[in-house]
Amino acid sequence: MRVFLGLLLSVLMLMPGWAQEAEAAWRATVTGQIVALRDGDAEAALSFAGAGFRAAYQGDPQRFADDIARSGYAPIATSRSHSFGAFRELAPGVVVQSVELVDKDGRVWEAIYQLADERDEGWRVQGVVLRSTSGIGI
């Protein structure tokens, strides 16, 4: 019985480390895509997107970046900073992550990223909802 409890405790102690690693991985994906968009690197930005986006824009990553700008998501590409807020796991391998963005004029935006841990690809952006907030960035 003690051996079982010891093993159970060991597994439970490892879980927070795994969760932190997963969180760091999906946050790296979000940051990678934001930085790529800021730098005008459409190919890199598309590489962080989910399989559906990559298939739809295959061979034309610039159209992906242009569509982001035309669809009202330009504040992501023109942001000067971003920080992570709360996240929620929707299902195993699927999370939503809140990201606060400050644009070049100091306006604050909230982006809600949905990410999935895609087989052989790692965490990829499945979609984003963006809204302006009443805050002012410093």
Side-chain angles (χ1 to χ4, degrees), residues 54-130:
R54 292 191 314 271
Y57 291 97
Q58 185 177 16
D60 198 356
Q62 188 57 51
R63 186 169 59 91
F64 171 73
D66 292 345
D67 284 351
I68 287 172
R70 275 194 298 271
S71 300
Y73 293 91
I76 295 172
T78 61
S79 65
R80 65 177 191 211
S81 68
H82 71 280
S83 59
F84 292 96
F87 70 87
R88 191 170 117 210
E89 184 178 22
L90 300 178
V94 179
V95 297
V96 289
Q97 171 70 63
S98 173
V99 179
E100 184 178 272
L101 300 147
V102 178
D103 72 14
K104 62 183 187 248
D105 297 323
R107 289 182 299 228
V108 178
W109 300 80
E110 180 184 34
I112 305 297
Y113 279 77
Q114 182 174 340
L115 299 108
D117 191 3
E118 293 184 354
R119 184 182 198 142
D120 298 327
E121 296 293 331
W123 289 95
R124 294 293 178 258
V125 176
Q126 306 300 308
V128 181
V129 175
L130 183 68

Side-chain angles (χ1 to χ4, degrees), residues 21-36 48 82 84 97 115 123-125:
E21 287 178 24
E23 183 179 354
W26 76 65
R27 285 183 173 192
T29 295
V30 171
T31 295
Q33 189 173 61
I34 291 170
V35 169
F48 292 104
H82 71 280
F84 292 96
Q97 171 70 63
L115 299 108
W123 289 95
R124 294 293 178 258
V125 176

